[in-house]
Amino acid sequence: MKQRKLKFASALLSSGWAEDVTLTIDAHGMIEKVEAGSSDKTAKTLKGIAIPAMPNIHSHAHQRLMAGLAEVAGPGADSFWTWREVMYSFALKLGPEDLEAVAAQLYVEMLKSGSTIVGEFQYLHHQPDGSPYDEPAELSLRCLAAAEEAGIAITMLPTLYAYGGFGGQKPTEGQRRFINDETRYLKILSSLDKASKGHNLRQLGISPHSLRAVTRELLNEVIAGLDRLGRKTAPIHIHVAEQTKEVDDCIAWSKGARPVQYLIDNFALSQRWCAIHATHMTADETARMAASGMIAGLCPTTEANLGDGTFPADLFLKNKGAIAIGSDSHISVSPAEDLRQLEYSQRLRDRTRNALASGPGKSTGRTLLDAALTGGAQSMAQKVGALAPGYRADIAVLDDGHPALIGRSGDSALDSWIFSGGNACMRDVFVAGEHVVQERRHIREEAIEKKFRAAVKRLTK
Ligand code: NGQ
Ligand code: ZN
């Protein structure tokens, strides 16, 4: 790619809103220079409102296949755990090509919603019968290929899944595609390390699935393995305290510790850690988690869909905790809807309004966007989240001609996108300066959708 210049009528810069902004982007897709009040005639001019694109930090790509197919009442009371059985049955169906087709479609949808990085928490590792593929990282490599085809940046988080419950319990039959011991897992990590080196749109981390699926000893061994690859600050994502049953089981097994408390007491937490969900915490855990630097990876629309509970976002943000958002099960692929649901969860619980705005006169949408950009970039270990020199040119452009945004500008446009118009407001998206969504169309969406259609027809017959 050559150096290029993009010019926007309005843009959200680190210093705040600015008009007539020209961004100079270098050959590697990094922002070199930002000029407000620019009259540059050589820049490509785009209509609309430019904002830093959002990282989508928590994805299980395979679950896109079943979005909307678990909304029929079962014979008994439905719960997270009955949903999980349905999800496992879908997880047993996908072959490598299917996963690649489903993931590519999902990543196109993410881009069209204004997200330019996916954090892929990938735990399908083996063949449907549970035996490894010749290439142990086969399915994670398929997600990397899908990301490349879609043109989205990825932080690959291969999942360490060794046990079926707290204290090293035996996994169930339905989990056979997920399970690895240390040796096998480190082989996967090493393949993905090779596949990621030298790619500016690929990062690597790990995802111990949950405290149910690993032991402290095993997790420490694997972190040491990551360090040996020279990835000492690489992200570590873990599901934690999503359901009250998990909290109860953890207390019973550990003789008193709740899941988040267990993490805080047993690991050297820092900003490289990201706790997915962390729904059920005491006030003390909330304050301690915020102070630890561990990011809260929230997936509000999935958490609502699965009936998880309400994350204490008000208290966590008051304690200066870092947050990020992900679409997780992909029941909704929309950063606007996830941020909206996060705010609404607090309003419904407390019967209040503008619960998470940073102070009087501050926009709720802007507060949430700023927080999720900073925490999101951190949790993905990618240099994004601001339109400023030294950051990658990952840019989302809102259509100021869309009816939801007429007469809006600055923070009121953000609020109207997040609380009203949603994905329909997103018009153009750039990843490392590449124009991948152009006037609402992804540059390869027909070809990718065709493969997705065929895969869905095969798999949902
Ligand atoms: C997952 N998903 O691994 O896909 C989990 C469910 C589990 C969410 N937590 C399975 N949303 O936690 O055991
Ligand atoms: Zn998850």
Side-chain angles (χ1 to χ4, degrees), residues 60 63 80 83-84 87-88 123 161 209 212 239 242 277 302 306 328:
H60 306 293
Q63 292 176 19
F80 174 89
W83 168 84
R84 193 172 85 153
M87 185 271 282
Y88 281 4
Y123 60 86
Y161 209 124
H209 180 274
R212 291 172 271 134
H239 291 124
E242 179 179 12
H277 311 303
T302 291
L306 298 180
D328 192 348

Side-chain angles (χ1 to χ4, degrees), residues 327-348:
S327 59
D328 192 348
S329 70
H330 316 302
I331 192 65
S332 160
V333 180
S334 165
E337 280 178 20
D338 271 313
L339 294 175
R340 183 193 308 165
Q341 179 62 39
L342 176 61
E343 166 70 20
Y344 284 177
S345 68
Q346 313 294 298
R347 293 189 191 186
L348 287 164

Side-chain angles (χ1 to χ4, degrees), residues 171-457:
T172 65
E173 259 307 287
Q175 295 170 333
R176 62 184 179 271
R177 298 191 78 179
F178 321 159
I179 302 301
N180 285 299
D181 60 13
E182 184 192 335
T183 313
R184 241 165 50 167
Y185 181 78
L186 289 177
K187 277 194 192 140
I188 293 176
L189 202 59
S190 148
S191 285
L192 294 170
D193 177 61
K194 287 195 194 85
S196 308
K197 279 211 174 100
H199 282 258
N200 70 332
L201 297 183
R202 290 182 184 173
Q203 265 297 351
L204 180 65
I206 60 171
S207 63
H209 180 274
S210 53
L211 289 171
R212 291 172 271 134
V214 301
T215 58
R216 180 176 57 183
E217 297 68 31
L218 175 63
L219 178 48
N220 280 326
E221 291 298 330
V222 165
I223 294 172
L226 190 60
D227 290 353
R228 284 195 298 277
L229 292 172
R231 296 184 179 268
K232 288 195 174 175
T233 57
I236 305 169
H237 288 218
I238 183 166
H239 291 124
V240 66
E242 179 179 12
Q243 284 278 320
T244 52
K245 180 182 185 301
E246 178 182 325
V247 177
D248 296 343
D249 290 354
C250 185
I251 292 172
W253 158 74
S254 68
K255 303 201 173 53
R258 302 168 60 84
V260 172
Q261 185 188 349
Y262 183 89
L263 280 180
I264 295 170
D265 290 344
N266 287 279
F267 295 94
L269 300 183
S270 65
Q271 290 191 335
R272 80 186 292 202
W273 286 76
C274 181
I276 304 300
H277 311 303
T279 313
H280 299 287
M281 294 192 284
T282 62
D284 180 60
E285 280 177 298
T286 308
R288 289 178 70 201
M289 177 172 146
S292 75
M294 179 164 64
I295 296 155
L298 307 173
C299 309
T301 55
T302 291
E303 289 155 9
N305 183 267
L306 298 180
D308 288 341
T310 305
F311 175 77
D314 51 347
L315 193 60
F316 191 69
L317 290 175
K318 269 195 198 98
N319 280 284
K320 306 209 170 358
I323 61 164
I325 53 158
S327 59
D328 192 348
S329 70
H330 316 302
I331 192 65
S332 160
V333 180
S334 165
E337 280 178 20
D338 271 313
L339 294 175
R340 183 193 308 165
Q341 179 62 39
L342 176 61
E343 166 70 20
Y344 284 177
S345 68
Q346 313 294 298
R347 293 189 191 186
L348 287 164
R349 184 194 58 202
D350 299 338
R351 300 188 297 276
T352 180
R353 296 197 76 257
N354 295 318
L356 301 176
S358 59
K362 299 291 187 196
S363 141
T364 302
R366 173 68 184 279
T367 304
L368 291 172
L369 183 82
D370 283 349
L373 284 172
T374 308
Q378 177 70 47
S379 81
M380 295 285 89
Q382 301 205 26
K383 187 77 176 158
V384 293
L387 303 183
Y391 287 78
R392 200 170 66 214
D394 283 21
I395 309 163
V397 189
L398 295 166
D399 178 3
D400 56 356
H402 186 279
L405 300 187
I406 293 173
R408 312 313 201 247
S409 63
D411 289 352
S412 76
L414 295 179
D415 284 330
S416 296
W417 163 52
I418 291 170
F419 291 100
S420 175
N423 281 355
C425 298
M426 199 52 70
R427 200 184 54 202
D428 292 275
V429 176
F430 294 82
V431 180
E434 294 290 349
H435 201 175
V436 294
V437 176
Q438 306 180 357
E439 304 209 10
R440 296 193 165 76
R441 305 290 294 173
H442 180 276
I443 48 174
R444 285 184 283 279
E445 75 174 61
E446 279 83 12
I448 289 172
E449 193 181 303
K450 193 166 164 217
K451 285 187 259 177
F452 176 68
R453 265 176 204 285
V456 174
K457 285 206 176 122

